[in-house]
Amino acid sequence: MSARPLTEAMTSTSTAAAPAGDPATTRPAGVVETSGAEPIPEAERHGHPRQLLWTWAAPQVGWATAYIGVLAVAAFGLGFREAVAALVLGAAFGAIAHGFLSVDGPRFGVPQMVLGRLSFGHRGSVLPSTVNALVSGIGWFAMNTLGGAFALNSLTGLPPLACLLILVVLEVVVGYVGHDLVHRFERYALPVLAVIFLLAGGWIFKGAHLGHTGSGGGFGAFLLAFSASFGFTAGWNPCASDYTRYLPRTTSARATGWYGGLGLFLSVSVVSVIGAASGTVLAPEGASPTDAFTGQLPGWLAHLTLLAIIIGGMAASTLNVYSASVSLASLAVRGLPRGLNRASLTALTGAAGTVAAWASLDDAGHAFESFLLVIAYWTAPWLGVVLVEQWRRRRTPGTLIARRLADRRHTNAAGLIALLAGVAVSVPLFSNQETYVGPLPSHWPGLGDLTCQVGFAVSALLYALLARTRTAKES
C-alpha cells in the first residue's frame, strides 16, 4: 500500500455515518474481522468510549490480579496497609499512562505498535512490536490461561492439561473472530465477574487479619509490590489503542482516556486489595494458587469464585492473543504467505502461548511472580520513550503525523537508543530477582527492585535530550 492512501485513511474527514449502536451488541458475533494493522476507514468506525470501561475492567477481575495482592503480603512481607498503598499506587500510574495512550486510537485508527513508528521509526518499531507479541501472546496468555485452568481443574476434577487446552480453544476462537467479539465478550463477562468477586471479597475481608503488620519487608518490599502492580497494569499499555482504533475520529479524547484508564485502575486496585486481604490468612500447604484463594470461602461461594476465575482468565487471554496478532501484523514484513493474516496469526500465537503455559503447570505461582517483576523491565523504558514522544507532538498537525506513520523511510534512531539504554542501565544495576541480583540491591537490600523506575527515567530523559538535539539540527 502506498503512503498516499494510507495517509488519507488516517486523516479522512469523511462524514459518512458510522454503524449505529454499540459493536458489543449490534454486529454479528461470528463475522471474522478482516482488518489487520492498517488504518480503519472512517465509514467502518463505530462504538462509544464507554465500551472501554468493561473491555479493560473485565480482564483484571480474576486470579492473576488477586495474586499480585497475595504476593505483596505473603511473598514480599508487607503489612496489609502498606500492601494496599503499594498496589493502588502502582495501578494508578499504569492506568494514567494507559489513558494517555488510548486517545491516539480514534485519531489515527491504528494499533499501538503502529503508533510506535513515531517513536522508533518504521524499522526500529520492529523490536518493540516483536517483544510485545511475545509478551502478550506467550507470556500473558500463558499466565492468565493457567489461572483459569487451575480453577477449572478444581471445579471439575479434569486433568490440568485438559483444562488448559479447553480454555485455549475458547480463547483463541474469540481472538480469531476479532475486535467486535472481544468487546462483546468483555461486556457480558464484567457484571458476572464483578458480582462474584465482590461477594468473595466481602467474605474474605470478614476473616482476614487486616491489622497484619508483615514480616518486616520495609521500603524494598514496598517497591517490589509497587513494581508488580505497575508492571501488571502497564503491561496493557502497549495494547492501548488496539481497542480504541475503531472509535469514530471525532470521539472525545477526554472520554476515551478516562474510560480506558478508569476501567483498568478500578479493577486492578480492587481485586489486588482483595488478594492482599486473602494473603493475610495462611494457605493450606500444597494448595494450588486458586485453591489457596478460594479455600477461605464457603462451598457455594468457592464454586462461584472458581467459575469467575475461569471467565476472568478467558477475558484477559482473549485480549492477549488478539493484541499479539495485531502486533505481529504491524510488522508489515514483506514476503509473508498470503494467508498469514491477523486471524491466522491469532491461532499461531495462541499455540505458542499454550506451550508456555504447559511448561509452567508444575510451578505456576513461582512462574507468575517472576514474570510480573520482569514484565516492567521492558514496559517502563518503552513507556518512557512513547510518552515523551506523545508530549512532543501534542501540537503537530495530524496530517504530518499520518505521513510519518505511512512513510516506510521514516526513521527515529533516538527512540531505539533511549529504549535500549534504559534497559541496559536499569536491569544489570538494579534488578533484584531470584536468579540475578544487581550490584546496587546486593549492597543495599533496602532498595528493593528499582529497575522499572530507573528504566523509565533513563529512557524518557535520554529520548527527550536526543529528540530535542535532532529537532535543533533539522531546524
Side-chain angles (χ1 to χ4, degrees):
M1 179 181 290
S2 66
R4 179 179 176 83
L6 186 59
T7 302
E8 290 175 351
M10 289 179 178
T11 59
S12 171
T13 58
S14 170
T15 57
D22 194 307
T25 56
T26 58
R27 291 207 164 193
V31 177
V32 177
E33 177 190 5
T34 57
S35 297
E38 67 275 9
I40 306 302
E42 189 68 20
E44 296 181 20
R45 305 289 192 94
H46 56 273
H48 187 279
R50 65 173 170 266
Q51 69 196 46
L52 301 174
L53 190 63
W54 56 74
T55 296
W56 290 116
Q60 323 315 324
V61 186
W63 166 78
T65 315
Y67 198 63
I68 302 172
V70 174
L71 287 174
V73 173
F76 302 153
L78 287 177
F80 177 73
R81 292 180 181 177
E82 291 81 7
V84 170
L87 294 168
V88 172
L89 193 61
F93 274 90
I96 290 170
H98 197 77
F100 277 111
L101 294 177
S102 297
V103 301
D104 277 340
R107 189 179 180 195
F108 300 106
V110 294
Q112 196 64 54
M113 288 298 108
V114 172
L115 288 167
R117 295 172 186 172
L118 299 171
S119 304
F120 306 102
H122 202 286
R123 292 185 178 180
S125 66
V126 169
L127 177 61
S129 295
T130 302
V131 171
N132 187 55
L134 294 174
V135 168
S136 293
I138 297 180
W140 279 123
F141 180 82
M143 293 299 105
N144 287 315
T145 305
L146 274 175
F150 282 123
L152 185 59
N153 165 254
S154 299
L155 195 60
T156 65
L158 291 171
L161 180 57
C163 296
L164 176 69
L165 295 177
I166 290 170
L167 294 185
V168 164
V169 171
L170 296 174
E171 293 158 357
V172 170
V173 166
V174 176
Y176 183 92
V177 174
H179 178 275
D180 288 354
L181 184 57
V182 169
H183 278 295
R184 179 183 295 209
F185 181 81
E186 309 299 343
R187 175 173 186 164
Y188 292 116
L190 179 59
V192 176
L193 294 171
V195 169
I196 294 175
F197 259 83
L198 287 175
L199 284 173
W203 196 280
I204 286 172
F205 266 83
K206 286 199 306 180
H209 308 304
L210 302 185
H212 178 72
T213 57
S215 56
F219 184 65
F222 183 91
L223 287 178
L224 281 171
F226 168 86
S227 296
S229 179
F230 171 77
F232 182 87
T233 310
W236 294 105
N237 290 173
C239 312
S241 71
D242 296 1
Y243 303 95
T244 62
R245 63 193 176 119
Y246 274 88
L247 293 174
R249 191 177 57 84
T250 55
T251 300
S252 166
R254 178 174 296 182
T256 300
W258 269 108
Y259 277 114
L262 187 62
L264 195 57
F265 171 72
L266 287 177
S267 54
V268 172
S269 56
V270 170
V271 177
S272 64
V273 167
I274 292 173
S278 171
T280 65
V281 180
L282 186 65
E285 187 174 351
S288 71
T290 52
D291 285 342
F293 181 73
T294 59
Q296 304 170 40
L297 306 172
W300 65 272
L301 186 52
H303 284 87
L304 281 177
T305 304
L306 287 171
L307 177 62
I309 290 173
I310 295 168
I311 298 172
M314 290 180 60
S317 292
T318 53
L319 265 67
N320 295 144
V321 74
Y322 175 79
S323 282
S325 65
V326 171
S327 292
L328 290 175
S330 74
L331 295 175
V333 179
R334 296 178 180 178
L336 286 176
R338 184 179 298 273
L340 199 58
N341 54 15
R342 182 213 55 82
S344 56
L345 287 170
T346 300
L348 290 176
T349 53
T354 303
V355 174
W358 189 350
S360 303
L361 273 174
D362 293 335
D363 195 8
H366 184 267
F368 185 58
E369 178 183 346
S370 300
F371 183 71
L372 266 178
L373 294 174
V374 173
I375 187 64
Y377 287 6
W378 99 272
T379 305
W382 173 86
L383 191 58
V385 173
V386 171
L387 287 179
V388 169
E389 170 60 28
Q390 189 181 48
W391 178 81
R392 290 184 71 252
R393 59 177 168 82
R394 65 194 184 282
R395 294 188 180 91
T396 304
T399 51
L400 178 58
I401 296 174
R403 283 199 295 270
R404 290 176 184 170
L405 287 171
D407 186 2
R408 290 180 174 273
R409 297 169 298 175
H410 172 64
T411 61
N412 191 356
L416 200 56
I417 291 171
L419 170 63
L420 295 176
V423 174
V425 171
S426 62
V427 175
L429 294 179
F430 293 91
S431 179
N432 191 357
Q433 295 291 309
E434 184 174 314
T435 56
Y436 173 76
V437 179
L440 292 178
S442 293
H443 286 85
W444 296 285
L447 287 176
D449 193 324
L450 286 169
T451 311
C452 71
Q453 294 90 332
V454 173
F456 178 89
V458 169
S459 292
L461 292 173
L462 182 57
Y463 181 66
L465 177 63
L466 293 175
R468 183 175 182 180
T469 302
R470 177 184 178 183
T471 302
K473 289 181 178 179
E474 290 175 348
S475 58

